[in-house]
């Protein structure tokens, strides 16, 4: 009955070795599974991002196309009369016929910009002021000469 119920040094070493192997295998498997899950999460996140980015691009393109329709309508108004006869009142009638908030969400208004040569600027400003905008002024983002 010798050795019964007693653990020998060899048995302890074997048990410790088995425990160490199980621990190392468990940690290794956990690390592999964790890395695999992280990779899956990254692929899923990238796929979701790609879908959202594509949807956003489509929405932006659709919105810009709406603005283009409004600008083409404004061009039609300008071409419907001689450009120098296009008054503020005529253009206002056109712009009020549009539901800007609904048709062109985010737009704060609509207008026409035309090139005016430097020698004609003073006359242009006087005409614009007589056409219903007494405080009209030409504004520049930064001073410059020429076109």
């Amino acid at each position: 009955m010798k050795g019964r119920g007693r653990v020998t040094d060899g048995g302890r070493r074997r048990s410790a070795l088995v425990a160490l192997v199980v621990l190392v295998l468990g940690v290794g498997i956990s690390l592999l599974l964790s890395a695999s899950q992280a990779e899956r999460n990254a692929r899923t996140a990238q796929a979701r991002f790609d879908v959202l980015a594509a949807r956003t691009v489509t929405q932006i393109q659709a919105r810009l196309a709406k603005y283009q329709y409004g600008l083409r309508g404004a061009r039609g108004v300008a071409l419907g009369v001689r450009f120098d006869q296009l008054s503020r009142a005529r253009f206002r009638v056109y712009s009020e016929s549009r539901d800007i908030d609904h048709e062109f969400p985010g737009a704060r208004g609509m207008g026409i910009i035309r090139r005016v040569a430097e020698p004609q600027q003073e006359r242009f400003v006087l005409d614009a002021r007589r056409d219903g905008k007494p405080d009209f002024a030409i504004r520049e983002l930064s001073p410059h000469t020429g076109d």
Side-chain angles (χ1 to χ4, degrees), residues 58-71:
T58 300
Q59 290 171 345
I60 289 170
Q61 288 171 335
R63 183 168 286 189
L64 289 176
K66 283 183 175 185
Y67 298 151
Q68 182 182 36
Y69 301 144
L71 294 174

Side-chain angles (χ1 to χ4, degrees), residues 23-37:
L23 176 66
V24 168
L25 283 174
V27 168
I29 290 171
S30 294
L31 289 174
L32 287 173
L33 290 174
S34 174
S36 174
Q37 186 63 47

Side-chain angles (χ1 to χ4, degrees), residues 10-29:
R12 283 189 192 137
R13 284 188 193 140
R14 193 174 320 125
S15 294
L17 184 60
V18 168
L20 182 61
V21 168
V22 168
L23 176 66
V24 168
L25 283 174
V27 168
I29 290 171

